[in-house]
Amino acid sequence: MTSSTEQTAEHLLSATTLLRFATAGSVDDGKSTLVGRLLHDSKSVLADQLEAVEHASRSRGQEAPDLALLTDGLRAEREQGITIDVAYRYFATPRRRFILADTPGHVQYTRNMVTGASTAELTVILVDARNGVVEQTRRHAAIAALLRVPHVVLAVNKMDLVGYEESVFAAIAEEFTVYASELGVPDITAIPISALAGDNVVEASATMDWYGGPTVLEHLETVPASHDLTGCHARFPVQYVIRPQTAEHPDYRGYAGQIAAGTFRVGESVTVLPSGRTSRIAGIDLLGEPVDVAWTPQSVTLLLEDDIDVSRGDIVVPSGDAPPTTQDVEATVCHVADTPLTVGARVLLKHTTRTVKAIVKEIPSRLTLDDLSQHPAPGQLVANDIGRVRVRTAEPLALDAYADSRRTGSFLLIDPADGTTLAAGMAGESFAAAEAAPVRDDEGWDF
């Protein structure tokens, strides 16, 4: 059996090898070109991919390969020269592996950016050096803050079109940093680049010797990988109950799932929510072998000392660190469906592995991302809207605040008729610096 020390060493090694990040920015700011440059200059493009891009570029009358075509995969995207869907790309350098979400810049695709940035540990927000910080830049910074993305990179692109002037970069970087800091973004790094020419993307720029910071790739390779959730509140959503009932294992009862956050150890006192029953961990099986300790994001099977009622959707937590259960969920949601979300709508709420019936009791406000103002009592949310909701569930949920855990503080609202995802929700307050919202009377709930 592998020792706890060896397991911890292996975990610390793996925790530094993967970074999930997203790109965002206004239309024509050069997101796809930046991504293409990253892939090309880091030698992460296969020969046949590059040949296809070169052929497509020549057919459009371009002498040099258009690196944006490496990510603009939809025919409509290539014809219009814009990004419509979220393009996921996987690449690696000797120092780190990456999962990249290239998100669209149009206002009507706000929901796509929310999708791409929801699991990101870092967001690269591009700004055209000629235009500076615009409304869409503020909108993307607000979404990054709303989703609690720990690291934001401001890539001031097209510096070649402003003569590589340091003063232009400094003014944009200062304006953005002040705005993002007010939103509660904890870490902001500004980098002057030219994605088209390759300045400060992978290789340091020879024309901007006044800049002494890292290139985009250097920063991506060295930024702390904040997806290490071993120090967070331990949470284990049960996905499946294993009872083989064979001659070899007549009394085996294991609870399988993926650890959402934190660490679990054999002998630890745990509580099963929402029932509140307690027990101790009698064993942990990992890949068919017993271990003494397990951590996120490992998929394991927990065995408990007591034969208690545990089923799919329950959450196992340390007895001294159990979140409160509630049927009244207050959250910020991004509406992603074309059908409006209205007060009184009957929905399904999916939280980790648990899905329960719910009713939208109130939509107190809709957020205007341009100036972060709240539009009171909008009555409904339509596609791409972000607003506050109050939902009453048929069964209690062990829901963390999104600020404490992006994994167990998030949920989906689903149309019970056809299974369509209606909204992505974040429990608790909207922004890091936000004050607590007033709580209204709950009379009228019919659960």
Side-chain angles (χ1 to χ4, degrees), residues 386-417:
I386 294 177
R388 297 287 296 173
V389 299
R390 300 186 72 223
V391 178
R392 175 77 174 183
T393 61
E395 304 170 30
L397 295 174
L399 194 67
D400 286 298
Y402 188 79
D404 296 331
S405 174
R406 296 173 76 190
R407 294 283 299 277
T408 55
S410 58
F411 61 87
L412 295 176
L413 296 183
I414 300 171
D415 188 335

Side-chain angles (χ1 to χ4, degrees), residues 26-329:
S26 301
V27 178
D28 294 330
D29 276 355
K31 298 181 302 300
S32 297
T33 302
L34 170 62
V35 174
R37 175 64 64 183
L38 268 174
L39 298 175
H40 180 271
D41 289 7
S42 63
K43 307 297 189 293
S44 300
V45 181
L46 298 177
D48 58 340
Q49 291 177 311
L50 186 58
E51 183 179 346
V53 167
E54 291 173 345
H55 175 73
S57 301
R58 286 194 300 269
S59 66
R60 297 168 59 177
Q62 297 171 303
E63 295 182 3
D66 184 356
L67 298 180
L69 299 182
L70 288 170
T71 56
D72 286 342
L74 299 178
R75 175 177 295 180
E77 293 178 328
R78 294 193 174 191
E79 290 175 349
Q80 299 178 49
I82 63 173
T83 301
I84 296 174
D85 200 5
V86 179
Y88 288 95
R89 294 294 179 267
Y90 308 86
F91 69 102
T93 68
R95 304 181 68 178
R96 180 168 278 176
R97 293 178 293 117
F98 301 94
I99 298 178
L100 158 68
D102 183 27
T103 68
H106 284 74
V107 176
Q108 63 264 38
Y109 300 127
T110 298
R111 56 186 172 182
N112 300 62
M113 186 203 165
V114 171
T115 300
S118 61
T119 58
E121 291 99 40
L122 181 147
T123 296
V124 179
I125 299 179
L126 270 76
V127 170
D128 188 326
R130 298 169 299 176
N131 302 327
V133 176
V134 296
E135 285 187 1
Q136 191 70 338
T137 310
R138 296 186 181 92
R139 183 175 292 109
H140 288 148
I143 292 174
L146 188 69
L147 294 172
R148 299 300 204 282
V149 179
H151 309 282
V152 170
V153 172
L154 174 69
V156 183
N157 193 23
K158 304 187 180 182
M159 288 295 296
D160 53 313
L161 300 183
V162 294
Y164 297 104
E165 288 292 333
E166 180 180 7
S167 59
V168 174
F169 167 74
I172 295 173
E174 181 179 5
E175 181 181 355
F176 179 86
T177 301
V178 169
Y179 179 78
S181 298
E182 291 176 349
L183 293 175
V185 177
D187 179 56
I188 306 162
T189 302
I191 304 175
I193 68 169
S194 171
L196 188 63
D199 293 287
N200 286 337
V201 179
V202 172
E203 302 293 336
S205 173
T207 54
M208 289 185 281
D209 54 2
W210 44 263
Y211 173 73
T215 66
V216 173
L217 183 60
E218 287 173 350
H219 185 69
L220 293 176
E221 288 180 325
T222 57
V223 70
S226 55
H227 64 283
D228 181 9
L229 301 175
T230 54
C232 298
H233 305 285
R235 303 288 186 260
F236 179 76
V238 177
Q239 184 174 356
Y240 188 70
V241 179
I242 300 177
R243 293 198 67 192
Q245 295 181 309
T246 61
E248 184 180 359
H249 302 286
D251 300 317
Y252 187 97
R253 181 193 290 266
Y255 309 105
Q258 184 183 49
I259 300 176
T263 302
F264 288 90
R265 291 176 171 81
V266 172
E268 182 178 10
S269 176
V270 293
T271 299
V272 179
L273 299 175
S275 68
R277 296 183 176 92
T278 61
S279 184
R280 288 187 180 276
I281 298 177
I284 302 175
D285 289 345
L286 172 64
L287 299 177
E289 299 293 334
V291 296
D292 294 328
V293 60
W295 48 75
T296 180
Q298 291 177 333
S299 295
V300 299
T301 300
L302 297 186
L303 293 88
L304 302 182
E305 291 182 354
D306 303 291
D307 187 11
I308 60 178
D309 183 17
V310 182
S311 59
R312 174 182 171 87
D314 290 347
I315 295 183
V316 180
V317 302
S319 295
D321 186 25
T325 58
T326 182
Q327 290 181 257
D328 301 326
V329 178

Side-chain angles (χ1 to χ4, degrees), residues 335 337-343 345 363 379-383 422:
H335 192 61
D338 293 327
T339 304
L341 183 70
T342 59
V343 175
I363 303 178
Q380 66 177 12
L381 298 177
V382 299
L422 300 174

